[in-house]
């Protein structure tokens, strides 16, 4: 990955290098039924989403009920640019490479995310917040979530 | 050249165009310039990398908007002693497709400073152009009944403190308060520049070529002979075909990021100042929870403000979609963000936007870089404090400033401790929607990129007109000034035939 690719990848790219050493290896092929994400990346997406929006969260919609890996895969395939997708996948792979991250319970995963996004951890915060932004796009554009929040864009199609 | 609107579906694999003036970029500057040049009887071709849009095309979805209406699909950021998203529009209409239509006349002290500092506006016509813009894009205040609660509680708070709050002047005479300006105006109530100056230009000998990205230049001596480019598949953004435009004069209006990059990439930058002097108008939000229902997405997206220009900032209301809402909140609150988001219907949003003066930024081919200045940082923090104070005065029970670690405030007594003025920028969450200054105008060819008529130093027939030419930071939302700059430069171009 060139310096330009890292920078142009935006928020997702800026801290990728700090979290991802292994991530500079070639990215694997898409997993079964997916267009971009590998099976391992899909698992880390689900683990992250489950930590951010666990069952019983205040919004009332659990990420595990939404198929977050499929939603993120769709964003990667249809919305985001190649450089941002590559950078995001590198960060995901960096998280996956953290020993046992997916196996931690929700509270411990959250604590780890908090450590990485502390106020004085700029680069890792940028990287992790970049991935959280992608997850946020996926979660907060789900009709179930918008409905739970009471949000409705009332000018479209009416 | 064929008159009218053109797009990808109808392009040959390769095509060539001859005209009097070629304009790169169909944003506020390029479209305003096209109108002046066309009315002067010149044959004008406008090239734009994004699409032609109708208001019925727009979708209530940030992913859709990022892909179709935002530069770099919404992921463009500046890096430095912190990081800043740098928003910019894409498509015929440029950033006016996604702005909130906020309109300020160029502040008189700024015009005076530019005239004294760099010989700006040598013919004394600029203010006439500002007035022309004001009338053409139909600036006015939207009525209270479409403003929505987000704007009304803000006004209530300001008035409780004895501060003057006003509805913002906007170029949205038909606004119905959809609250989603940043996704493209679905009602057609906003006068983006494609509906005003470009529509006027299209009554004349003008062709507008969407899905066309300029990539190269043919030059001889001190003249540009032709510009070459690629047609882009609007879905994949992959280059497909080729185009060439030959013209007598060329105007670059690619915005403060795109214009300097184009000049630098093609050996057109006259000196090392191209790409420097970037100003950003950094802005930061304050969220407030009320017992009453706010539904900030119902009403004018940015409709009210408090003028603290003399102190270096403005307070303005804002609305964002839930996904963007979450991004700001999770950075501050972590897992507590969900509980805050769950009260979305009771949430009001506003923020401070600063007139940056000691922040230093630059644009290169590799990225956008900045060093947020100490004075600017403190002014932004003061703006956040003022906004928090305003919300408590309006009756908010909880206030959250965009400062990592500030936490939830439940009393105005907590504001100063939660937002200390020595907060480093790394702990602040900010955004920049008004880049400017990277091809700055000046009368010293060693220290500026374009001369006071917008002509690139060292080139006979190459001009720039967009916010990149601003000699300094503006301090107010820039669309009116950008359009007036487009008209000013175009008027000079028309006279140079």
């Amino acid at each position: 990955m060139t310096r330009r690719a890292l920078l142009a990848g935006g928020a997702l790219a800026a801290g990728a290098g700090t979290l991802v050493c292994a991530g500079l290896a070639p990215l694997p092929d898409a997993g079964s039924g997916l267009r971009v994400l590998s099976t391992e990346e899909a698992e880390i997406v689900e683990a992250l989403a489950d930590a951010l929006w666990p069952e019983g969260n205040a919004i009332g919609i659990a990420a595990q009920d939404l198929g977050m890996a499929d939603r993120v895969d769709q964003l990667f395939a249809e919305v985001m640019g190649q450089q941002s997708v590559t950078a995001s996948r590198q960060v995901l792979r960096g998280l996956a490479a953290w020993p046992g991250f997916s196996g931690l319970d929700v509270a411990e995963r959250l604590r780890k995310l908090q450590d990485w996004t502390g106020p004085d951890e700029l680069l890792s915060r940028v990287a992790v917040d970049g991935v959280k932004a992608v997850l946020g796009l996926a979660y907060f554009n789900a009709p179930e979530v918008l409905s739970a929040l009471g949000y409705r864009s009332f000018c479209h199609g009416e | 050249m064929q008159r009218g609107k053109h797009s990808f579906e109808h392009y040959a694999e390769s095509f060539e165009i001859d005209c009097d003036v070629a304009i790169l970029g169909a944003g506020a500057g390029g479209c305003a310039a096209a109108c002046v040049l066309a009315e002067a009887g010149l044959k004008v071709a406008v090239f734009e990398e994004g699409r032609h849009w109708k208001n019925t095309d727009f979708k209530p979805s940030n992913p859709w908007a990022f892909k179709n209406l935002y530069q770099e699909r919404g992921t463009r950021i500046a890096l430095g002693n912190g990081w800043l998203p740098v928003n910019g529009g894409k498509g015929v209409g440029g950033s006016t497709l996604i702005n909130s239509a906020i309109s300020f006349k160029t502040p008189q002290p700024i015009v005076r400073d530019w005239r004294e500092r760099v010989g700006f506006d040598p013919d004394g016509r600029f203010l006439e152009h500002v007035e022309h813009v004001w009338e053409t894009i139909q600036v006015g205040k939207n009525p209270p009944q479409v403003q929505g609660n987000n704007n009304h509680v803000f006004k209530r708070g300001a008035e409780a403190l004895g501060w003057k709050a006003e509805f913002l002047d906007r170029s949205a005479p038909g606004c119905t308060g959809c609250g989603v300006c940043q996704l493209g105006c679905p009602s057609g109530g906003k006068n983006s520049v494609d509906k005003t100056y470009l529509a006027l230009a299209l009554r004349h000998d003008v062709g507008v070529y969407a899905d066309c990205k300029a990539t190269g230049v043919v030059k001889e001596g001190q003249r540009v002979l032709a510009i070459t480019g690629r047609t882009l598949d609007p879905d994949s953004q992959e280059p497909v075909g080729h185009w060439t435009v030959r013209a007598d004069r060329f105007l670059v209006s690619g915005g403060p990021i795109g214009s300097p990059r184009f000049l630098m990439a093609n050996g057109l930058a006259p000196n090392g100042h191209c790409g420097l002097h970037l100003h950003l108008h950094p802005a930061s939000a304050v969220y407030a929870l009320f017992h009453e229902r706010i539904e900030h997405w119902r009403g004018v997206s940015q409709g009210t403000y408090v003028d603290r220009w003399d102190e270096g900032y403005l307070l303005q209301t804002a609305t964002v979609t839930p996904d963007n809402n979450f991004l700001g909140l999770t950075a501050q609150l972590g897992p507590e963000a969900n509980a805050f988001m769950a009260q979305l219907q009771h949430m009001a949003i506003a923020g401070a936007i600063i007139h940056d003066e000691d922040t230093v930024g630059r644009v290169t081919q590799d990225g956008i870089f900045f060093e947020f200045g100490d004075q600017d940082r403190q002014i932004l923090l003061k703006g956040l404090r003022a906004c928090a104070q305003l919300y408590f005065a309006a009756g908010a029970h909880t206030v959250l400033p965009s400062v990592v670690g500030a936490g939830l405030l439940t009393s105005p007594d907590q504001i100063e401790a939660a937002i200390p003025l020595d907060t480093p920028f790394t702990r602040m969450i900010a955004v920049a929607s008004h880049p400017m200054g990277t091809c700055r105008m000046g009368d010293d060819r060693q220290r500026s990129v374009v001369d006071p008529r917008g002509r690139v130093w060292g080139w006979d027939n190459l001009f720039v007109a967009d916010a990149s030419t601003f000699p300094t930071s503006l301090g107010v939302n820039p669309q009116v000034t950008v359009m007036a700059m487009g008209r000013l430069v175009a008027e000079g171009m028309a006279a140079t035939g």
Side-chain angles (χ1 to χ4, degrees):
Chain A
M1 179 182 283
T2 65
R3 181 163 171 267
R4 163 125 178 93
L6 269 170
L7 290 168
L12 312 170
T18 65
L19 271 175
V20 186
C21 293
L24 294 179
L27 291 165
D29 293 339
S32 174
L34 298 163
R35 287 188 283 175
V36 178
L37 286 172
S38 69
T39 303
E40 186 185 34
E41 291 158 5
E43 285 172 5
I44 197 76
V45 165
E46 293 288 357
L48 281 168
D50 188 37
L52 292 169
W53 301 287
E55 196 162 346
N57 74 69
I59 295 168
I61 305 291
Q64 63 187 11
D65 294 336
L66 295 177
M68 288 291 287
D70 288 340
R71 290 178 180 276
V72 169
D73 192 56
Q74 185 181 9
L75 288 173
F76 281 1
E78 298 178 7
V79 175
M80 295 171 62
Q82 186 56 47
Q83 291 171 339
S84 296
V85 169
T86 300
S88 297
R89 293 181 66 195
Q90 303 283 19
V91 176
L92 286 173
R93 298 186 65 71
L95 293 170
W98 194 267
F101 180 81
S102 296
L104 299 173
D105 66 29
V106 165
E108 288 170 327
R109 269 180 263 161
L110 265 179
R111 195 156 40 246
K112 187 57 68 182
L113 283 177
Q114 288 292 92
D115 290 345
W116 284 329
T117 54
D120 297 318
E121 305 293 335
L122 179 64
L123 289 179
S124 61
R125 175 153 64 90
V126 171
V128 173
D129 279 351
V131 168
K132 284 161 76 174
V134 176
L135 293 169
L137 277 176
Y139 180 84
F140 285 103
N141 281 288
E144 303 93 315
V145 174
L146 294 173
S147 176
L149 292 171
Y151 178 90
R152 190 167 66 96
S153 177
F154 59 95
C155 288
H156 292 84
E158 293 180 13
Chain B
M1 186 197 81
Q2 284 190 310
R3 290 175 61 159
K5 297 180 180 179
H6 310 281
S7 54
F8 178 78
E9 293 80 358
H10 307 291
Y11 293 144
E13 189 176 338
S14 175
F15 61 93
E16 298 185 359
I17 289 167
D18 290 285
C19 59
D20 296 317
V21 181
I23 298 176
L24 308 181
C31 290
C35 186
V36 171
L37 293 160
E39 288 176 348
L42 297 167
K43 185 186 290 189
V44 179
V46 183
F47 296 85
E48 162 60 44
E49 70 172 306
R51 304 228 77 193
H52 292 287
W53 296 106
K54 303 187 298 290
N55 60 294
T56 50
D57 294 331
F58 300 132
K59 306 281 191 289
S61 153
N62 246 342
W64 184 91
F66 283 168
K67 177 180 178 180
N68 292 290
L69 301 179
Y70 281 74
Q71 292 285 337
E72 299 181 30
R73 303 192 185 209
T75 63
R76 192 167 74 183
I77 65 164
L79 294 171
N81 56 340
W83 66 284
L84 277 170
V86 181
N87 294 325
K90 186 180 73 173
V92 177
S95 290
T96 69
L97 293 172
I98 55 164
N99 72 6
S100 294
I102 297 172
S103 300
F104 284 92
K105 293 181 182 178
T106 316
Q108 293 279 358
I110 293 289
V111 176
R112 211 163 36 240
D113 180 51
W114 289 359
R115 284 175 173 159
E116 291 170 1
R117 188 191 293 243
V118 301
F120 172 68
D121 187 25
D123 301 324
R125 298 264 298 141
F126 184 71
L127 295 178
E128 289 176 47
H129 290 305
V130 170
E131 294 302 326
H132 192 281
V133 171
W134 201 258
E135 286 182 22
T136 303
I137 65 175
Q138 296 178 281
V139 177
K141 296 187 194 303
N142 297 117
Q145 58 268 29
V146 302
Q147 292 287 344
N149 287 342
N150 195 47
N151 291 301
H152 288 301
V153 295
F154 180 92
K155 202 161 190 287
R156 183 174 79 204
E159 287 167 355
L161 292 167
W163 301 351
K164 188 178 178 190
E166 290 188 77
F167 292 136
L168 281 154
D169 286 315
R170 302 175 70 237
S171 57
C175 179
T176 56
C178 300
V180 288
C181 293
Q182 70 273 29
L183 306 181
C185 176
S187 71
K190 179 170 75 174
N191 275 347
S192 49
V193 74
D194 52 312
K195 293 181 176 172
T196 56
Y197 277 117
L198 194 63
L200 292 171
L202 281 164
R203 295 177 183 173
H204 303 274
D205 204 359
V206 172
V208 183
Y209 297 82
D211 313 310
C212 287
K213 184 176 178 64
T215 55
V217 174
V218 180
K219 54 206 176 194
E220 183 179 277
Q222 292 187 313
R223 290 188 69 80
V224 173
L225 302 180
I227 286 178
T228 60
R230 305 297 303 269
T231 57
L232 302 178
D233 180 311
D235 188 54
S236 69
Q237 294 292 296
E238 292 297 321
V240 179
H242 296 264
W243 55 271
T244 300
V245 58
R246 289 177 291 271
D248 182 59
R249 281 150 280 182
F250 295 87
L251 177 65
V252 178
S253 296
I257 311 301
S259 289
R261 281 183 173 164
F262 182 78
L263 297 184
M264 288 188 283
N266 291 288
L268 301 167
N271 53 48
H273 285 269
C274 189
L276 300 186
H277 314 295
L278 171 68
H279 292 281
L280 291 157
H281 283 175
S284 189
V286 174
Y287 308 87
L289 295 179
F290 289 78
H291 292 297
E292 68 197 90
R293 190 182 293 267
I294 304 295
E295 294 186 315
H296 61 75
W297 55 92
R298 287 181 181 263
V300 174
S301 56
Q302 293 191 271
T304 315
Y305 82 118
V306 169
D307 187 347
R308 293 283 178 88
W309 198 80
D310 291 343
E311 296 173 43
Y313 66 89
L314 306 174
L315 303 180
Q316 296 179 344
T317 54
T319 53
V320 294
T321 46
D323 41 15
N324 262 344
N325 230 170
F326 168 75
L327 181 58
L329 293 174
T330 186
Q332 291 148 274
L333 295 175
E336 305 304 319
N338 287 339
F340 206 88
M341 283 296 295
Q343 300 176 77
L344 191 70
Q345 295 178 62
H346 297 267
M347 187 190 303
I349 309 175
I353 180 169
I354 67 163
H355 182 185
D356 48 336
E357 295 195 301
D358 71 341
T359 295
V360 180
R362 66 191 162 97
V363 173
T364 73
Q365 301 295 355
D366 284 337
I368 307 169
F369 305 95
F370 74 102
E371 183 77 17
F372 202 66
D374 198 49
Q375 173 187 305
D376 290 341
R377 182 184 54 75
Q378 289 197 34
I379 289 172
L380 187 54
L381 289 163
K382 287 176 183 170
L384 291 178
R385 283 180 169 185
C387 201
Q389 192 181 355
L390 180 152
Y391 272 139
F392 280 119
H397 60 78
T398 305
V399 170
L400 179 66
S402 290
V403 174
V404 177
L408 300 171
L409 315 186
T410 54
S411 158
D413 298 338
Q414 299 170 316
I415 293 173
E416 289 196 10
I419 312 174
L421 294 183
D422 61 356
T423 302
F425 189 62
T426 49
R427 291 184 178 227
M428 299 167 70
I429 299 164
V431 63
S433 299
H434 306 155
M436 66 200 110
T438 49
C439 297
R440 74 176 181 185
M441 186 175 275
D443 54 5
D444 180 347
R445 62 184 304 149
Q446 305 299 324
R447 297 180 51 76
S448 54
V449 177
V450 301
D451 71 16
R453 296 187 190 279
R455 190 194 317 248
V456 180
W457 288 110
W459 296 96
D460 291 342
N461 64 339
L462 179 64
F463 298 78
V464 179
D466 54 35
S468 73
T469 61
F470 291 2
T472 65
S473 176
L474 185 67
V476 296
N477 304 61
Q479 70 162 356
V480 171
T481 304
V482 175
M483 290 179 214
M485 184 69 86
R487 288 184 57 82
L488 184 79
V489 172
E491 196 173 58
M493 289 178 74
T496 62

